[in-house]
Amino acid sequence: LRAELDAKRVSLEAAISQREGERSDERELKKENEDELKDEQDYKASIKPDCDWIVGAFEKRAAARAAEMNGLVGAKEFLAGYQPPAEASFVEQPAKPQLAQVRFLAMRQ
């Protein structure tokens, strides 16, 4: 009986030792995961002001870009001599035929 109990004690001590090792490994892994989580949270907190600003200013900046694009298109059309059909009838013909040959920024075709 004593031999059986000694064997059982040795077996239990080995199992306890193994479990303690596994527990220690789990604690180390948990510590690493907590450190990674803290790093991620710190990073998120550091970029939050910039992200909030981008989200808040997105619509305003999109409208400004659209207005700038419209202005550039209008300037390009003006420089290329574009005239909308409604305004085409208001173009005055030069009084002298020799002035018809004068070209200003390619406005006359």
Side-chain angles (χ1 to χ4, degrees):
L1 182 64
R2 184 165 174 92
E4 287 178 18
L5 291 176
D6 284 338
K8 188 172 185 179
R9 183 177 57 95
V10 169
S11 173
L12 289 174
E13 287 175 351
I16 290 172
S17 175
Q18 180 182 359
R19 296 291 163 94
E20 286 294 326
E22 291 172 359
R23 186 175 179 198
S24 175
D25 292 343
E26 285 295 321
R27 284 182 178 161
E28 288 177 24
L29 183 59
K30 179 182 176 190
K31 175 75 170 115
E32 290 173 9
N33 288 339
E34 287 172 346
D35 291 344
E36 287 181 22
L37 177 63
K38 185 178 181 325
D39 290 344
E40 289 293 325
Q41 290 171 338
D42 291 345
Y43 175 71
K44 183 179 176 183
S46 73
I47 65 171
K48 187 175 183 340
D50 291 336
C51 292
D52 290 345
W53 181 84
I54 293 280
V55 168
F58 185 81
E59 295 296 326
K60 180 181 173 186
R61 294 182 72 212
R65 284 191 302 272
E68 180 182 9
M69 195 65 193
N70 288 338
L72 291 172
V73 168
K76 181 179 176 183
E77 290 172 349
F78 174 77
L79 292 174
Y82 174 79
Q83 293 179 352
E87 292 179 279
S89 62
F90 295 112
V91 175
E92 296 180 20
Q93 296 298 324
K96 298 182 181 179
Q98 60 269 38
L99 292 178
Q101 301 300 319
V102 176
R103 300 212 188 290
F104 177 73
L105 296 176
M107 300 252 337
R108 297 206 179 267
Q109 300 292 332

PDB file of all heavy atoms in Angstrom, residues 61-74:
ATOM      1  N   ARG A  61     -13.815  69.745 -46.919  1.00  0.00           N
ATOM      2  CA  ARG A  61     -12.704  69.644 -47.857  1.00  0.00           C
ATOM      3  C   ARG A  61     -13.166  69.119 -49.206  1.00  0.00           C
ATOM      4  O   ARG A  61     -12.666  69.542 -50.246  1.00  0.00           O
ATOM      5  CB  ARG A  61     -11.613  68.755 -47.271  1.00  0.00           C
ATOM      6  CG  ARG A  61     -10.973  69.383 -46.028  1.00  0.00           C
ATOM      7  CD  ARG A  61      -9.868  68.537 -45.463  1.00  0.00           C
ATOM      8  NE  ARG A  61      -8.725  68.621 -46.366  1.00  0.00           N
ATOM      9  CZ  ARG A  61      -7.863  67.632 -46.551  1.00  0.00           C
ATOM     10  NH1 ARG A  61      -7.996  66.497 -45.905  1.00  0.00           N
ATOM     11  NH2 ARG A  61      -6.846  67.766 -47.364  1.00  0.00           N
ATOM     12  N   ALA A  62     -14.143  68.207 -49.222  1.00  0.00           N
ATOM     13  CA  ALA A  62     -14.672  67.690 -50.485  1.00  0.00           C
ATOM     14  C   ALA A  62     -15.368  68.808 -51.255  1.00  0.00           C
ATOM     15  O   ALA A  62     -15.216  68.918 -52.479  1.00  0.00           O
ATOM     16  CB  ALA A  62     -15.632  66.526 -50.230  1.00  0.00           C
ATOM     17  N   ALA A  63     -16.117  69.647 -50.555  1.00  0.00           N
ATOM     18  CA  ALA A  63     -16.780  70.774 -51.215  1.00  0.00           C
ATOM     19  C   ALA A  63     -15.749  71.756 -51.755  1.00  0.00           C
ATOM     20  O   ALA A  63     -15.902  72.289 -52.870  1.00  0.00           O
ATOM     21  CB  ALA A  63     -17.720  71.471 -50.238  1.00  0.00           C
ATOM     22  N   ALA A  64     -14.697  72.000 -51.008  1.00  0.00           N
ATOM     23  CA  ALA A  64     -13.642  72.914 -51.471  1.00  0.00           C
ATOM     24  C   ALA A  64     -12.940  72.350 -52.699  1.00  0.00           C
ATOM     25  O   ALA A  64     -12.640  73.091 -53.640  1.00  0.00           O
ATOM     26  CB  ALA A  64     -12.635  73.165 -50.351  1.00  0.00           C
ATOM     27  N   ARG A  65     -12.703  71.050 -52.719  1.00  0.00           N
ATOM     28  CA  ARG A  65     -12.066  70.432 -53.890  1.00  0.00           C
ATOM     29  C   ARG A  65     -12.989  70.515 -55.101  1.00  0.00           C
ATOM     30  O   ARG A  65     -12.536  70.764 -56.219  1.00  0.00           O
ATOM     31  CB  ARG A  65     -11.718  68.972 -53.605  1.00  0.00           C
ATOM     32  CG  ARG A  65     -10.493  68.814 -52.733  1.00  0.00           C
ATOM     33  CD  ARG A  65     -10.018  67.370 -52.682  1.00  0.00           C
ATOM     34  NE  ARG A  65     -11.035  66.451 -52.195  1.00  0.00           N
ATOM     35  CZ  ARG A  65     -11.240  66.156 -50.933  1.00  0.00           C
ATOM     36  NH1 ARG A  65     -10.503  66.707 -50.004  1.00  0.00           N
ATOM     37  NH2 ARG A  65     -12.176  65.302 -50.578  1.00  0.00           N
ATOM     38  N   ALA A  66     -14.283  70.314 -54.903  1.00  0.00           N
ATOM     39  CA  ALA A  66     -15.236  70.402 -56.016  1.00  0.00           C
ATOM     40  C   ALA A  66     -15.283  71.829 -56.550  1.00  0.00           C
ATOM     41  O   ALA A  66     -15.294  72.042 -57.774  1.00  0.00           O
ATOM     42  CB  ALA A  66     -16.621  69.949 -55.563  1.00  0.00           C
ATOM     43  N   ALA A  67     -15.296  72.823 -55.665  1.00  0.00           N
ATOM     44  CA  ALA A  67     -15.316  74.215 -56.106  1.00  0.00           C
ATOM     45  C   ALA A  67     -14.027  74.556 -56.851  1.00  0.00           C
ATOM     46  O   ALA A  67     -14.061  75.239 -57.887  1.00  0.00           O
ATOM     47  CB  ALA A  67     -15.493  75.147 -54.904  1.00  0.00           C
ATOM     48  N   GLU A  68     -12.913  74.082 -56.355  1.00  0.00           N
ATOM     49  CA  GLU A  68     -11.643  74.335 -57.038  1.00  0.00           C
ATOM     50  C   GLU A  68     -11.633  73.680 -58.413  1.00  0.00           C
ATOM     51  O   GLU A  68     -11.185  74.277 -59.391  1.00  0.00           O
ATOM     52  CB  GLU A  68     -10.482  73.788 -56.197  1.00  0.00           C
ATOM     53  CG  GLU A  68      -9.124  74.014 -56.818  1.00  0.00           C
ATOM     54  CD  GLU A  68      -7.980  73.423 -56.005  1.00  0.00           C
ATOM     55  OE1 GLU A  68      -8.245  72.688 -55.054  1.00  0.00           O
ATOM     56  OE2 GLU A  68      -6.838  73.730 -56.346  1.00  0.00           O
ATOM     57  N   MET A  69     -12.148  72.466 -58.493  1.00  0.00           N
ATOM     58  CA  MET A  69     -12.193  71.764 -59.779  1.00  0.00           C
ATOM     59  C   MET A  69     -13.087  72.512 -60.768  1.00  0.00           C
ATOM     60  O   MET A  69     -12.736  72.659 -61.941  1.00  0.00           O
ATOM     61  CB  MET A  69     -12.692  70.334 -59.556  1.00  0.00           C
ATOM     62  CG  MET A  69     -12.443  69.438 -60.703  1.00  0.00           C
ATOM     63  SD  MET A  69     -10.675  69.248 -60.923  1.00  0.00           S
ATOM     64  CE  MET A  69     -10.679  68.506 -62.523  1.00  0.00           C
ATOM     65  N   ASN A  70     -14.241  72.993 -60.290  1.00  0.00           N
ATOM     66  CA  ASN A  70     -15.126  73.757 -61.166  1.00  0.00           C
ATOM     67  C   ASN A  70     -14.444  75.033 -61.644  1.00  0.00           C
ATOM     68  O   ASN A  70     -14.570  75.423 -62.808  1.00  0.00           O
ATOM     69  CB  ASN A  70     -16.437  74.093 -60.453  1.00  0.00           C
ATOM     70  CG  ASN A  70     -17.320  72.888 -60.279  1.00  0.00           C
ATOM     71  OD1 ASN A  70     -17.189  71.899 -60.997  1.00  0.00           O
ATOM     72  ND2 ASN A  70     -18.198  72.931 -59.301  1.00  0.00           N
ATOM     73  N   GLY A  71     -13.721  75.688 -60.757  1.00  0.00           N
ATOM     74  CA  GLY A  71     -12.992  76.891 -61.135  1.00  0.00           C
ATOM     75  C   GLY A  71     -11.922  76.599 -62.172  1.00  0.00           C
ATOM     76  O   GLY A  71     -11.750  77.358 -63.137  1.00  0.00           O
ATOM     77  N   LEU A  72     -11.210  75.508 -62.006  1.00  0.00           N
ATOM     78  CA  LEU A  72     -10.175  75.147 -62.976  1.00  0.00           C
ATOM     79  C   LEU A  72     -10.776  74.780 -64.326  1.00  0.00           C
ATOM     80  O   LEU A  72     -10.242  75.156 -65.373  1.00  0.00           O
ATOM     81  CB  LEU A  72      -9.332  73.984 -62.440  1.00  0.00           C
ATOM     82  CG  LEU A  72      -8.435  74.321 -61.259  1.00  0.00           C
ATOM     83  CD1 LEU A  72      -7.798  73.044 -60.696  1.00  0.00           C
ATOM     84  CD2 LEU A  72      -7.371  75.319 -61.657  1.00  0.00           C
ATOM     85  N   VAL A  73     -11.894  74.071 -64.309  1.00  0.00           N
ATOM     86  CA  VAL A  73     -12.565  73.731 -65.568  1.00  0.00           C
ATOM     87  C   VAL A  73     -13.048  75.000 -66.259  1.00  0.00           C
ATOM     88  O   VAL A  73     -12.884  75.163 -67.473  1.00  0.00           O
ATOM     89  CB  VAL A  73     -13.734  72.745 -65.321  1.00  0.00           C
ATOM     90  CG1 VAL A  73     -14.616  72.618 -66.547  1.00  0.00           C
ATOM     91  CG2 VAL A  73     -13.182  71.390 -64.901  1.00  0.00           C
ATOM     92  N   GLY A  74     -13.627  75.924 -65.482  1.00  0.00           N
ATOM     93  CA  GLY A  74     -14.083  77.193 -66.062  1.00  0.00           C
ATOM     94  C   GLY A  74     -12.932  77.987 -66.645  1.00  0.00           C
ATOM     95  O   GLY A  74     -13.043  78.559 -67.747  1.00  0.00           O
TER      96      GLY A  74
END
